[in-house]
Amino acid sequence: RKDFLRQRQPDHRALHWVNGVQACSCTWGEVLELLEQGQDPSALAHGHTGAQQWLEDWRALDGLDEEEWGGLLLNAHQLADPYNLGDGKAAVTIDSLAPLAVRRVWGLLLPVITRVEVVVLGPDDGAAELGLLSREKLLLRNLIGTDRMREVHRVAGAAGVPLTLYLFGEGPQNAGDAGKGIFTAHESAGRILSFSMPPDPVIHKGDVAHPGWMEKSYGRMLPGFVVHDVGEGVELSGKMLSQNVVLPGWSVDERGFLSES
């Protein structure tokens, strides 16, 4: 795990957050030192709930067995491979109330792989905190979280900070949300399984261009999952799963879109 973190330059910024009206950050070197020395994350986080949780998530990740670690890492690579989610320029913003699998895969591992910085919004943080970081010249693009991020997304957009919001646990995709840059995703069994995405860039398959989202679906399955129809649902297998996952009442169409039947 520590070797994985050493992919990043120790003096590069890892995490940003806002404490009151103060923009704070820590480096990858500080995160690595915390893991190596078993330090208490609260000191590095300066008492910020979201930052402390992000650091504690790293400590928990460091303590996982090899199988679970490997599965999560594969899941992060699934997320990174076909989609332009990390360009090394724009920071990814994580809602600290997002499900654990989302925080681990999208908030911890993907930023290392795609070389992006992370912003964490604690339970009481919102658009004002993002606005402060934006004024500090931090480039923001993707917002990942729960339904409470809708208001953050709306206010930030109105203030000239356009973000793409990826929602977990909030029902299927609809066209109205897609038009506003809000896309649904699904996680289960400790892995991110699927997500909708903006129509640009379009994924090309053969000569036919497919949009990145579909009404009433939870987006496309990530590449690498093997899908089997079973009775009244689907069963998923793959190297990123410690055991097969059965989703009763769900289906995957020929284009890979996951839907609740």
Side-chain angles (χ1 to χ4, degrees):
R1 322 303 149 76
K2 299 176 183 73
D3 284 341
F4 175 72
L5 267 182
R6 290 189 183 98
Q7 295 179 43
R8 299 302 308 269
Q9 294 292 331
D11 59 338
H12 285 189
R13 295 287 132 193
L15 183 70
H16 299 264
W17 66 96
V18 174
N19 233 348
V21 293
Q22 180 72 39
C24 304
S25 66
C26 65
T27 65
W28 290 108
E30 288 173 312
V31 177
L32 189 58
E33 186 180 0
L34 181 136
L35 296 182
E36 288 177 334
Q37 299 186 9
Q39 297 169 343
D40 180 3
S42 61
L44 186 54
H46 304 294
H48 184 269
T49 306
Q52 184 168 333
Q53 182 192 62
W54 188 84
L55 293 166
E56 286 174 349
D57 282 348
W58 266 115
R59 285 212 308 187
L61 204 63
D62 193 41
L64 294 177
D65 62 46
E66 285 301 321
E67 184 180 34
E68 182 64 7
W69 162 259
L72 287 166
L73 193 55
L74 279 172
N75 197 205
H77 278 288
Q78 285 178 283
L79 200 57
D81 277 348
Y83 310 113
N84 182 27
L85 291 175
D87 57 4
K89 298 173 184 174
V92 59
T93 301
I94 294 286
D95 172 9
S96 67
L97 298 181
L100 178 60
V102 177
R103 300 199 315 265
R104 283 176 165 174
V105 174
W106 212 323
L108 303 182
L109 299 175
L110 190 65
V112 176
I113 294 168
T114 56
R115 302 187 177 280
V116 301
E117 299 171 18
V118 183
V119 172
V120 66
L121 292 180
D124 300 318
D125 295 339
E129 283 73 18
L130 285 186
L132 191 151
L133 291 172
S134 181
R135 290 192 295 277
E136 296 277 327
K137 306 303 181 192
L138 186 64
L139 185 60
L140 304 169
R141 187 173 69 169
N142 293 334
L143 179 60
I144 321 301
T146 58
D147 197 51
R148 76 186 186 107
M149 291 294 109
R150 284 180 178 273
E151 181 66 6
V152 176
H153 176 267
R154 185 190 67 78
V155 174
V161 185
L163 299 168
T164 301
L165 171 58
Y166 296 96
L167 280 178
F168 284 85
E170 302 301 332
Q173 184 69 48
N174 65 67
D177 276 348
K180 299 173 190 170
I182 300 173
F183 297 93
T184 59
H186 189 65
E187 59 85 28
S188 183
R191 302 290 183 268
I192 295 175
L193 302 182
S194 66
F195 75 100
S196 305
M197 61 186 289
D200 182 29
V202 171
I203 302 170
H204 290 281
K205 192 172 184 180
D207 295 323
V208 182
H210 295 308
W213 61 273
M214 185 178 79
E215 187 90 23
K216 296 183 180 177
S217 85
Y218 289 80
R220 271 209 180 88
M221 293 292 301
L222 296 180
F225 288 113
V226 180
V227 181
H228 311 272
D229 290 322
V230 288
E232 298 299 314
V234 292
E235 182 176 9
L236 309 178
S237 60
K239 289 188 291 185
M240 68 298 300
L241 297 169
S242 55
Q243 58 188 36
N244 289 6
V245 175
V246 178
L247 300 175
W250 291 74
S251 62
V252 177
D253 72 8
E254 68 281 357
R255 294 184 296 168
F257 283 104
L258 177 68
S259 302
E260 211 167 356
S261 304

